[in-house]
Amino acid sequence: DVKVTQSSRYLVKRTGEKVFLECVQDMDHENMFWYRQDPGLGLRLIYFSYDVKMKEKGDIPEGYSVSREKKERFSLILESASTNQTSMYLCATQGRAVEQYFGPGTRLTVT
Amino acid sequence: DAKTTQPTSMDCAEGRAANLPCNHSTISGNEYVYWYRQIHSQGPQYIIHGLKNNETNEMASLIITEDRKSSTLILPHATLRDTAVYYCIVRVRSGGSNYKLTFGKGTLLTVNP
């Protein structure tokens, strides 16, 4: 079974803080993704990575950056957290096929 | 990716089969039908996919009409733990550089005791 883990299930941060969300997978998948999910807006892609040190912007990259130093780990960074970044953040991985496997999610609240 | 249409919500009695429909009338020949579900406060979970033939795995069956314009996901013996939002997605299988999955609003399936 594919296992995708995220560093926290719930996180509360203050406005202006730098926030790191980590995602780790154990299936040697090349592709990894960060989405956010908000009521009424569905899942929106923030960034994805198709190889170590490679990244591409998704639909809503503003205010975020990512890091992929090792194949199994993909980090999402909020440089200066703002209240409009309060959301559920979901990491996913993908091998050669299109099926994506998601982690449990991190519910981030920025106050 | 082709557009899909699903009912907003459905109910099912525990132990009975749950049949979730999806319309995808603009599907093209190389697009697959994928189903995911999302249980409350969890990440989406891949269920099954198919191209033309009906498919079955340990979780569900997928019935695709001959003209491929619609499909039905079948959970043969629904349990309370199957209560979730079910998403039907249509897209090509080998994505090239386009890996994005577009999740619509899905169908909220409520399994009742």
Side-chain angles (χ1 to χ4, degrees):
Chain A
D1 278 354
V2 177
K3 194 164 166 96
V4 182
T5 58
Q6 294 184 227
S7 48
S8 308
R9 290 284 276 138
Y10 299 95
L11 206 53
V12 180
K13 294 291 181 182
R14 293 196 180 276
T15 302
E17 278 193 78
K18 191 168 186 175
V19 182
F20 293 86
L21 303 181
E22 284 220 313
C23 176
V24 179
Q25 52 112 349
D26 67 355
M27 283 303 292
D28 203 35
H29 282 175
E30 293 84 5
N31 306 310
M32 298 186 74
F33 307 80
W34 275 106
Y35 293 87
R36 63 177 283 179
Q37 184 174 30
D38 301 287
L41 296 176
L43 271 79
R44 293 180 290 168
L45 182 64
I46 304 171
Y47 266 98
F48 67 99
S49 167
Y50 50 90
D51 202 352
V52 175
K53 296 193 189 295
M54 307 300 286
K55 61 187 179 186
E56 283 201 27
K57 293 180 180 179
D59 297 323
I60 50 163
E62 297 77 20
Y64 302 95
S65 62
V66 290
S67 170
R68 192 160 180 208
E69 296 296 318
K70 293 185 178 180
K71 191 174 186 180
E72 67 270 17
R73 192 178 296 268
F74 190 35
S75 301
L76 179 70
I77 304 155
L78 286 67
E79 297 290 343
S80 177
S82 63
T83 54
N84 63 11
Q85 292 179 308
T86 290
S87 186
M88 168 73 97
Y89 288 88
L90 290 157
C91 172
T93 75
Q94 179 189 46
R96 291 185 180 177
V98 175
E99 300 87 77
Q100 292 189 11
Y101 297 89
F102 286 79
T106 296
R107 188 165 293 282
L108 172 68
T109 302
V110 182
T111 62
Chain B
D1 300 337
K3 182 175 161 53
T4 61
T5 304
Q6 299 176 251
T8 303
S9 63
M10 294 182 66
D11 284 328
C12 177
E14 189 177 18
R16 305 297 292 266
N19 297 283
L20 292 100
C22 180
N23 286 324
H24 31 79
S25 57
T26 61
I27 193 170
S28 58
N30 62 345
E31 287 183 312
Y32 284 69
V33 180
Y34 286 82
W35 283 84
Y36 284 76
R37 74 178 182 184
Q38 188 170 21
I39 295 169
H40 182 61
S41 295
Q42 296 184 23
Q45 178 189 22
Y46 164 76
I47 301 173
I48 199 168
H49 73 275
L51 181 64
K52 289 189 235 184
N53 300 321
N54 298 336
E55 302 287 345
T56 295
N57 63 20
E58 64 278 2
M59 288 183 69
S61 295
L62 175 60
I63 309 297
I64 302 174
T65 58
E66 196 168 334
D67 63 9
R68 303 211 320 125
K69 292 186 177 181
S70 65
S71 59
T72 301
L73 180 76
I74 300 171
L75 308 179
H77 305 287
T79 70
L80 299 179
R81 286 176 294 181
D82 291 322
T83 293
V85 177
Y86 287 77
Y87 298 97
C88 169
I89 299 166
V90 170
R91 62 157 298 147
V92 294
R93 186 150 194 223
S94 51
S97 62
N98 178 17
Y99 299 111
K100 186 173 67 175
L101 282 178
T102 302
F103 287 77
K105 293 192 184 340
T107 297
L108 172 60
L109 173 69
T110 303
V111 180
N112 300 305

